[in-house]
Amino acid sequence: MRISLLITFIILLLFFGCAQKEYIQRDLRLEHGYNYLNHYRQALGMIPLHKNLTLEKAATAHAHYLAFHHTTGHTESRSKSGFSGLHAGDRAVRFGYSTYDVIENIAYGKDVSTSIDMLFATLYHRLGFMDWSIDEVGIGYDSKGITVVDMGRSLVRQACESAYARIGKVYTNICKKPLAVSRYQRAIAMNQKLNPPIIYWPTKQISVVPYAYPESPNPYRYLLEGYPITIRFNPFYFSQRPKIIVFQLKDHNGKKIRLLQQIDRTNDRMHIFSSYDFAYIPEALEWGKMYRASLIYSYRGQIRSLTWSFSTKKPTKNFIVLKKKVIKIKPNRWYELYWQPCSPTDKITTYRYYCPKNVNIKGYMKGINTIAIRIEGKPGQRVKLVLSNGKRIILQLN
């Protein structure tokens, strides 16, 4: 009997020990995610986002809902288990947040930091992180690789917690009770004032990938476009829309980079941009390069200019940009092979390989135009890769 109890006690200790370790690891991942997001905000020169546990609960619930039902998106179905609210604001209020005024971002990466990188590599979703008036955030993560970020405004939340409006113009969809339009606008303006007059992304503080990540809704004209460049003018400091005269992007040698798209409120098909938002999407950039952006605009009859630099990430040790027809690699090692696109339609979606019978190959599409591959064989043996664009690459074991 004592032996049985002792075994049960040991099993319980092991279970709770493993569970506690899992919770600690999850908490560390989330804390790193909060810090990582604020690292981006700091690079933008914006006020930090403070952790809000209520928003974290709402974000976590939605992440688990998406994972459990193997689905995507910002809405939930009342008829499905785990339902906590139709929209992000509904979910936040259900968990105790005082306002429906919530911005939500979702990404499907291996961890929170990777998801934040992916969201900043999009055109539309990065705007949520670059909002002038948010100052609090909750991050939810599911182990199946789903990150949900819910962002809010503390001053709006506090306004919803106090007396509600009885007369005058009101919003009926911000709080549970009517909120005076003037009070909401004051709350928004207070945080706008604390942020810079102009922000732009990317900046020199954080290196970026050379391409844009796909997103829904899709703003891109081509299959593969370069990392988007966003410029936002703060409406607190700009009472009217600035007029863009010219924008240019050049590489470190001064060569002008081709721009594939120029987007503002007048041609934004999804009507997400405000009158103070401007974006430029170049052709795919190159890894490990420095770029210089310059903007000339006019405001109230004055000509002004803005110039800054940024860089793309340097390739890691086993990351190879496919520039040669024959690539020498070592056997039994994982490599990442990247095809530098020759045009906006030059996107690699699949590949085939041909090799001797005694060569074993493991591989998969890891990312945009990127193949992860491991070849088991003897030095001197060759493998032929045929990419979906028809290009052929020889991998020779060295």
Side-chain angles (χ1 to χ4, degrees), residues 250-265:
K250 297 181 179 180
D251 66 12
H252 63 291
N253 293 320
K255 179 184 176 182
K256 191 183 295 186
I257 304 299
R258 178 190 173 198
L259 298 177
L260 301 178
Q261 288 183 252
Q262 302 179 32
I263 300 176
D264 59 28
R265 187 176 180 84

Side-chain angles (χ1 to χ4, degrees), residues 123-124 231 241-244 261-280:
L123 181 69
Y124 287 143
I231 304 157
R241 185 177 189 262
K243 180 182 179 182
I244 305 299
Q261 288 183 252
Q262 302 179 32
I263 300 176
D264 59 28
R265 187 176 180 84
T266 63
N267 63 356
D268 174 21
R269 292 177 298 154
M270 302 301 165
H271 309 292
I272 293 175
F273 275 38
S274 76
S275 298
Y276 299 89
D277 298 333
F278 302 86
Y280 302 88

Side-chain angles (χ1 to χ4, degrees), residues 202-220:
T203 67
K204 65 180 180 181
Q205 285 87 348
I206 300 177
S207 297
V208 299
V209 294
Y211 43 72
Y213 270 97
E215 64 179 321
S216 178
N218 178 24
Y220 307 117

Side-chain angles (χ1 to χ4, degrees), residues 329 331-335 337 351-364 371-378 381-386 393-397:
I329 62 174
N332 307 318
R333 291 188 185 180
W334 280 101
Y335 288 87
L337 310 178
Y351 67 94
R352 305 190 310 274
Y353 61 84
Y354 302 90
C355 63
K357 291 183 178 179
N358 59 345
V359 171
N360 185 32
I361 297 178
K362 296 179 180 178
Y364 60 94
I371 301 168
I373 197 164
R374 183 177 186 269
I375 301 177
E376 298 175 2
K378 297 179 181 179
Q381 290 184 310
R382 289 187 165 197
V383 173
K384 182 169 73 172
L385 282 183
V386 181
I393 303 293
I394 301 298
L395 301 177
Q396 180 175 310
L397 297 181

Side-chain angles (χ1 to χ4, degrees), residues 196-325:
I198 305 173
I199 57 174
Y200 47 83
W201 187 259
T203 67
K204 65 180 180 181
Q205 285 87 348
I206 300 177
S207 297
V208 299
V209 294
Y211 43 72
Y213 270 97
E215 64 179 321
S216 178
N218 178 24
Y220 307 117
R221 188 180 299 162
Y222 301 98
L223 288 174
L224 203 160
E225 302 194 18
Y227 197 92
I229 298 164
T230 300
I231 304 157
R232 305 195 89 176
F233 292 87
N234 190 335
F236 184 87
Y237 296 100
F238 289 85
S239 58
Q240 62 186 47
R241 185 177 189 262
K243 180 182 179 182
I244 305 299
I245 298 174
V246 63
F247 173 84
Q248 285 188 342
L249 181 65
K250 297 181 179 180
D251 66 12
H252 63 291
N253 293 320
K255 179 184 176 182
K256 191 183 295 186
I257 304 299
R258 178 190 173 198
L259 298 177
L260 301 178
Q261 288 183 252
Q262 302 179 32
I263 300 176
D264 59 28
R265 187 176 180 84
T266 63
N267 63 356
D268 174 21
R269 292 177 298 154
M270 302 301 165
H271 309 292
I272 293 175
F273 275 38
S274 76
S275 298
Y276 299 89
D277 298 333
F278 302 86
Y280 302 88
I281 309 179
E283 62 188 355
L285 306 177
E286 296 184 43
W287 291 94
K289 301 292 184 181
M290 182 72 73
Y291 294 89
R292 188 174 182 85
S294 59
L295 176 75
I296 299 176
Y297 66 97
S298 66
Y299 180 69
R300 293 191 175 277
Q302 292 185 343
I303 305 297
R304 304 179 183 183
S305 63
L306 182 66
T307 302
W308 74 97
S309 299
F310 67 90
S311 62
T312 51
K313 292 182 178 182
K314 294 181 180 179
T316 56
K317 183 179 179 181
N318 288 347
F319 189 99
I320 300 174
V321 178
L322 300 173
K323 295 181 178 180
K324 300 177 181 179
K325 290 185 177 180

Side-chain angles (χ1 to χ4, degrees), residues 65-281:
Y65 173 92
L66 295 176
F68 183 80
H69 293 289
H70 305 284
T71 188
T72 61
H74 296 281
T75 59
E76 295 185 5
S77 172
R78 288 186 177 86
S79 62
K80 293 185 177 180
S81 59
F83 173 80
S84 58
L86 187 61
H87 302 292
D90 301 319
R91 294 188 287 272
V93 168
R94 177 166 183 172
F95 281 95
Y97 203 59
S98 302
T99 173
Y100 298 98
D101 194 24
V102 173
I103 298 173
E104 185 173 77
N105 266 341
I106 303 174
Y108 306 87
K110 64 178 183 179
D111 52 41
V112 176
S113 299
T114 302
S115 295
I116 292 172
D117 285 336
M118 292 168 63
L119 289 165
F120 264 99
T122 64
L123 181 69
Y124 287 143
H125 285 76
R126 67 166 59 160
L127 295 179
F129 293 139
M130 297 171 69
D131 186 90
W132 301 106
S133 56
I134 58 172
D135 59 3
E136 53 189 12
V137 61
I139 300 176
Y141 178 77
D142 186 90
S143 58
K144 291 183 179 179
I146 301 173
T147 297
V148 178
V149 184
D150 285 345
M151 295 160 282
R153 305 165 172 92
S154 64
L155 295 175
V156 174
R157 170 174 56 80
Q158 291 165 16
C160 289
E161 292 168 356
S162 59
Y164 62 93
R166 289 182 169 84
I167 58 173
K169 294 182 178 180
V170 298
Y171 287 121
T172 57
N173 60 343
I174 301 296
C175 314
K176 291 182 178 180
K177 299 177 180 180
L179 177 68
V181 171
S182 59
R183 187 163 186 184
Y184 178 78
Q185 291 173 340
R186 284 199 303 272
I188 295 296
M190 288 182 73
N191 274 348
Q192 288 177 335
K193 184 180 179 180
L194 297 176
N195 280 305
I198 305 173
I199 57 174
Y200 47 83
W201 187 259
T203 67
K204 65 180 180 181
Q205 285 87 348
I206 300 177
S207 297
V208 299
V209 294
Y211 43 72
Y213 270 97
E215 64 179 321
S216 178
N218 178 24
Y220 307 117
R221 188 180 299 162
Y222 301 98
L223 288 174
L224 203 160
E225 302 194 18
Y227 197 92
I229 298 164
T230 300
I231 304 157
R232 305 195 89 176
F233 292 87
N234 190 335
F236 184 87
Y237 296 100
F238 289 85
S239 58
Q240 62 186 47
R241 185 177 189 262
K243 180 182 179 182
I244 305 299
I245 298 174
V246 63
F247 173 84
Q248 285 188 342
L249 181 65
K250 297 181 179 180
D251 66 12
H252 63 291
N253 293 320
K255 179 184 176 182
K256 191 183 295 186
I257 304 299
R258 178 190 173 198
L259 298 177
L260 301 178
Q261 288 183 252
Q262 302 179 32
I263 300 176
D264 59 28
R265 187 176 180 84
T266 63
N267 63 356
D268 174 21
R269 292 177 298 154
M270 302 301 165
H271 309 292
I272 293 175
F273 275 38
S274 76
S275 298
Y276 299 89
D277 298 333
F278 302 86
Y280 302 88
I281 309 179

